[in-house]
Amino acid sequence: MNIMWSSLAFSLSLGAAGMILILSFVSTLVKGFQFWPPPAKDSWQHRLFLVLFRGFLYPLIALTVLEFNLLRGNLALIQYGAGALLVLVGFGLAFAITFNLGWRNAFGEKLGLRTTGWFSRSRNPIYVVTWIGLIGWGLIANSWMVSVLLAIWGALYVLAPFLEEPWLEREYGQAYRDYKERTPRFI
C-alpha cells in the first residue's frame, strides 16, 4: 500500500516539475510567450506556476513522510543532525531573503531592483541558500525518489536565472546590466 502512495506522490511531483520545465523551455523558443517570470500577477502564467509548484512541493512533502525510514547508529545521528542543520540554515535564509526582497517581487512583479545585502554578493541568493536546504532535506529523507525530486528542484533553480535575466534587463535596463557586471550569478 505504501508503495502505491509513494509512486503516486512521486509521479504527481515529477509531472508538475516536468510541466514547469516544458513551459519554461517553450518560453525560450517561442517569441512572445513568457512563463517565468510571469508577465503579471493576475496572469494565467502566474496562477499556473503556483498550481504546478504546489503540485510539485506538496506530493514531495508527502513522499518524504511516506518514504522516511529511520536509520540507527552514530552515523545516522550525524546524518540527521547535519541534514537538520542544513535544512534550517538553507530554508531559513531563503525565507528571510525572500521576505527582504518581498514576496511579490520574488514572483515577478516589478517592485524594485535589489542590489544590497545578500544581493550584493549574489544575484540569486535565494536559489543558492535553497540548495543548502535541499541537501539537508535529502540527508534526512534518505530516499532515492525524494533525492531525484530534490535534484530536479535544484536544477530548476539553476535554470531559473537564465529565464529571469532577460526580463530583468527589460524591466530595469542599464541599472540591471551594471549590477550584472559587478555581481556573480550564484556565488
Side-chain angles (χ1 to χ4, degrees):
M1 184 71 127
N2 220 18
I3 294 172
M4 179 187 76
W5 289 112
S6 290
S7 296
L8 178 62
F10 180 77
S11 298
L12 288 171
S13 191
L14 185 63
M19 285 302 301
I20 291 170
L21 281 170
I22 289 167
L23 289 167
S24 297
F25 182 69
V26 168
S27 71
T28 65
L29 298 176
V30 178
K31 189 173 180 81
F33 177 77
Q34 182 177 341
F35 179 68
W36 184 259
K41 184 179 186 237
D42 60 348
S43 67
W44 68 266
Q45 294 95 323
H46 185 263
R47 289 188 298 276
L48 181 58
F49 176 80
L50 289 177
V51 166
L52 289 173
F53 190 76
R54 290 172 183 154
F56 169 73
L57 181 61
Y58 298 160
L60 173 58
I61 293 168
L63 181 65
T64 301
V65 172
L66 289 167
E67 289 290 303
F68 184 76
N69 184 13
L70 186 62
L71 299 172
R72 306 222 184 274
N74 291 337
L75 290 179
L77 192 58
I78 292 169
Q79 181 174 333
Y80 290 139
L85 179 65
L86 292 174
V87 164
L88 289 172
V89 169
F91 288 114
L93 285 173
F95 281 114
I97 297 167
T98 301
F99 281 126
N100 179 263
L101 175 64
W103 282 104
R104 290 177 26 210
N105 212 11
F107 285 94
E109 290 187 50
K110 184 181 174 185
L111 300 175
L113 180 63
R114 299 288 199 271
T115 61
T116 60
W118 287 88
F119 293 92
S120 68
R121 295 177 185 89
S122 168
R123 295 194 312 263
N124 299 283
I126 297 166
Y127 297 155
V128 172
V129 297
T130 298
W131 292 327
I132 294 167
L134 294 175
I135 292 167
W137 188 338
L139 287 171
I140 292 170
N142 197 35
S143 160
W144 72 267
M145 287 192 284
V146 171
S147 293
V148 165
L149 295 172
L150 294 173
I152 291 169
W153 188 349
L156 285 170
Y157 278 13
V158 169
L159 298 173
F162 295 97
L163 299 170
E164 295 167 350
E165 288 175 0
W167 178 84
L168 288 163
E169 279 197 40
R170 282 192 308 274
E171 295 298 317
Y172 297 106
Q174 191 60 43
Y176 180 73
R177 286 188 287 279
D178 293 343
Y179 171 61
K180 193 165 115 171
E181 279 187 33
R182 68 178 182 271
T183 310
R185 179 176 285 128
F186 294 116
I187 309 174

